[in-house]
Amino acid sequence: MDLTQHTPTDEALRRLIEQPSYGAQVLIVTARMLEMDPAEPMSTRAGGMAMTIAIDTVLKPLPQVVRDDSIARATRSLPDLTGITRGEAALRLRKAAEALG
């Protein structure tokens, strides 16, 4: 067998493995939402709205058990976002997403 040959299945698996987890994707999309107004102060309301949009965007098509687990993982990974701007919050969320994998 020629190990240099890659099948479409190999390529699909490689892309899947390299993707961030669903929990990390939720954090990344939340960060993107907050980056829309980076100079604004971070608030619980803004964070909640951004997270809700991220959850709907990333997790809606998935089975409920996967959604629940991904939300729990993302929530456990949330850094402290008090007293900072939304831009700084986005940076912290991206770092948390990277650590979550």
Side-chain angles (χ1 to χ4, degrees):
M1 176 178 188
D2 184 1
L3 296 177
T4 61
Q5 297 292 328
H6 296 285
T7 68
T9 302
D10 293 337
E11 183 62 23
L13 284 172
R14 184 190 61 76
R15 275 191 257 146
L16 182 63
I17 290 169
E18 290 175 355
Q19 270 188 346
S21 68
Y22 291 122
Q25 289 178 44
V26 166
L27 296 178
I28 292 165
V29 173
T30 301
R32 287 181 183 158
M33 298 303 301
L34 294 172
E35 287 171 335
M36 291 182 182
D37 292 313
E40 291 295 314
M42 185 60 195
S43 67
T44 303
R45 184 170 188 266
M49 289 175 60
M51 184 81 123
T52 298
I53 291 168
I55 287 168
D56 286 345
T57 301
V58 175
L59 304 178
K60 192 169 194 156
L62 300 173
Q64 190 63 47
V65 67
V66 176
R67 292 175 63 188
D68 291 345
D69 181 65
S70 299
I71 291 167
R73 289 172 187 261
T75 302
R76 282 193 304 265
S77 298
L78 285 173
D80 180 17
L81 302 176
T82 56
I84 59 176
T85 65
R86 293 179 191 180
E88 177 62 30
L91 290 173
R92 291 183 188 185
L93 287 169
R94 287 184 187 283
K95 283 189 178 211
E98 187 177 312
L100 186 54

